[in-house]
Amino acid sequence: MPRAIVCLLDSVGIGGAPDAASYGDEGSNTVGHIAEWAAAGKADREGLRTGPLHVPNMDAMGLGAAIKLSTGTLPPNLSDTPKGGRFGVGREVSRGKDTPSGHWEIAGVPVPFEWGYFPQTEPTFPPDLIAEFLKRTGLPGILGDKHASGTTVIAELGEEHIRTGMPICYTSIDSVFQIAAHESHFGLDRLYEICKIAFELTEPLKIGRVIARPFIGETAETFKRTGNRRDFAIAPPEPTLLDRNAAAGNQVFAIGKISDIYAGSGVTHKLKGTGIPQLFDCTLEALEMAGDRAFIMTNFVDFDSEYGHRRDVPGYAAALELFDARLPEIIAAMRHDDLLILTADHGNDPTWPGTDHTREQVPILVFSPALLPAEIGIRPTFADIGESIAAWLGLAPGRHGKSFL
């Protein structure tokens, strides 16, 4: 009996969407620009890796061909002739370029409303929101109160946070309210508690997520975020693929931050990991446990959080190569009628100005020993991914999208 696995390579976009200009992202191309940068020899000078981008396994599934279909240009050291599987391009219909929109739409539910966002001012949060937050939490105040990169703002304010006990609150161009606090000096459970309060206050504003960002270390030079991140997210407005498969009595494995993104709805098994190797191990563990008609979904967040937002081109290239090198392990663990899909939720071009996501199309790379190779074209909605998985698992069609299988 069939099973389905989605490896969601967070932010691995393949070229600006048709409406990218309205987001200031026309010309962005996460994988394409990384490949060009590597081929130009610039990565060599960083001392992290050398030579052109080397991702032969994803390329065999159609990565290069998908980028050419998306942009009209084939990046260096990639091929436009896949060796197996089906390939295509996903185009998002939900507005914005944030994590919940992409994930929900992939699971068959495009976002039907506008997210709330905080202005790019300093301070950025409404005074009445912060006043109520401090009243309900008993905190003496907050630090930050601005748009910021998480690692940068922790380095800037972490020592003051330890000294004063005030959490670091910040946002980005996405619909988020983020709270960073030290795991031991402030306390992990306490951080989760104040994030829950913040979520109750921001949910009416249609802020998509409140994110707990715990860190360790004692100085600006040694601060490091940990894997105990937790997202408090608005629930999808209708049943997703996860809900539909769980309702049919089947297993749903949520790996990484997947459970948080879907507010735990439809999840029967939750596995956590930090970094690409651990997330890969968790995916293989889920495959060992998964029964017939199980659905496994893993978010590989490091592409986005560690390399995209930090504009770390060689780090992003090395992460793509690491993922690619381990990809055969998943394929080897698959049954004859299992389905594997590699895709993404948005872009985060590390060569692009700023530190935020980029509005891009995404690859849809599909493999099963039971499938013949084919091009599936440019899909008009990410929801086609969810409907294809639903058809593969024998579920009734949903309201959005069409199967490409």
Side-chain angles (χ1 to χ4, degrees):
M1 299 290 280
R3 304 178 298 177
I5 309 105
V6 169
C7 291
L8 196 142
L9 283 60
D10 201 313
S11 86
V12 179
I14 57 169
D19 59 355
S22 63
Y23 294 87
D25 295 329
E26 186 175 19
S28 59
N29 184 352
T30 299
V31 180
H33 287 159
I34 291 170
E36 292 172 1
W37 197 86
K42 297 179 181 177
D44 298 1
R45 294 194 292 274
E46 300 294 332
L48 177 65
R49 55 169 305 285
T50 59
L53 184 66
H54 185 66
V55 287
N57 297 302
M58 285 191 285
D59 201 29
M61 290 180 64
L63 179 59
I67 298 173
K68 185 176 180 180
L69 179 62
S70 176
T71 66
T73 301
L74 182 66
N77 210 42
L78 295 178
S79 170
D80 58 0
T81 54
K83 296 184 175 74
R86 300 189 178 186
F87 73 92
V89 175
R91 181 175 290 171
E92 187 174 9
V93 298
S94 302
R95 296 178 181 178
K97 48 183 178 177
D98 46 41
T99 294
S101 296
H103 281 72
W104 293 2
E105 190 169 326
I106 287 168
V109 181
V111 176
F113 53 79
E114 291 272 9
W115 293 106
Y117 299 92
F118 294 112
Q120 296 194 42
T121 59
E122 193 172 330
T124 189
F125 301 120
D128 57 342
L129 171 67
I130 298 304
E132 184 63 20
F133 176 65
L134 297 178
K135 177 182 176 182
R136 292 184 56 179
T137 59
L139 291 164
I142 66 168
L143 303 174
D145 202 349
K146 61 184 178 180
H147 284 244
S149 165
T151 52
T152 300
V153 79
I154 289 171
E156 175 192 351
L157 299 172
E159 293 180 16
E160 185 177 356
H161 157 70
I162 293 173
R163 186 173 63 254
T164 64
M166 294 189 288
I168 304 167
C169 299
Y170 61 103
T171 187
S172 72
I173 200 168
D174 299 315
S175 184
V176 292
F177 185 105
Q178 305 193 68
I179 306 178
H182 198 281
E183 281 203 2
S184 56
H185 291 290
F186 190 87
L188 190 59
D189 289 340
R190 187 182 179 204
L191 173 59
Y192 293 157
E193 288 172 6
I194 67 171
C195 284
K196 184 178 179 181
I197 292 169
F199 177 71
E200 292 170 359
L201 296 174
T202 58
E203 185 176 14
L205 304 177
K206 286 289 188 288
I207 301 299
R209 291 174 295 160
V210 172
I211 306 177
R213 295 285 196 176
F215 64 96
I216 56 175
E218 297 300 322
T219 64
E221 294 74 26
T222 60
F223 290 143
K224 181 177 177 59
R225 295 196 299 199
T226 76
N228 291 319
R229 162 185 172 157
R230 181 177 295 179
D231 293 34
F232 297 79
I234 292 176
E238 61 183 271
T240 68
L241 173 66
L242 286 69
D243 298 299
R244 291 155 61 191
N245 203 46
N250 303 322
Q251 296 168 307
V252 176
F253 292 85
I255 302 172
K257 66 177 186 176
I258 292 295
S259 183
D260 291 341
I261 293 168
Y262 294 97
S265 185
V267 174
T268 65
H269 297 71
K270 181 169 65 173
L271 289 78
K272 289 286 188 179
T274 302
I276 291 172
Q278 280 191 20
L279 291 166
F280 241 104
D281 291 343
C282 288
T283 306
L284 294 170
E285 180 184 349
L287 267 170
E288 290 182 2
M289 296 188 292
D292 295 340
R293 302 191 187 283
F295 175 49
I296 300 168
M297 191 174 191
T298 304
N299 176 287
F300 289 87
V301 69
D302 289 54
F303 297 111
D304 186 52
S305 62
E306 296 298 315
Y307 309 112
H309 285 302
R310 299 187 188 191
R311 295 301 185 249
D312 181 354
V313 186
Y316 209 133
L320 287 168
E321 291 168 340
L322 172 60
F323 178 91
D324 189 83
R326 294 204 61 181
L327 187 55
E329 297 178 50
I330 292 180
I331 293 174
M334 292 171 63
R335 300 175 184 171
H336 177 75
D337 57 355
D338 283 347
L339 180 74
L340 171 65
I341 296 180
L342 310 185
T343 191
D345 51 346
H346 49 70
N348 199 341
D349 188 339
T351 72
W352 207 247
T355 60
D356 295 311
H357 297 158
T358 41
R359 177 75 170 183
E360 294 185 48
Q361 301 184 137
V362 302
I364 303 175
L365 310 181
V366 186
F367 173 77
S368 172
L371 272 180
L372 294 174
E375 178 185 320
I376 61 173
I378 298 178
R379 311 306 299 187
T381 169
F382 290 0
D384 286 0
I385 299 171
E387 288 312 303
S388 300
I389 296 168
W392 190 264
L393 296 177
L395 302 176
R399 297 177 55 222
H400 314 282
K402 289 184 178 181
S403 172
F404 46 67
L405 299 178

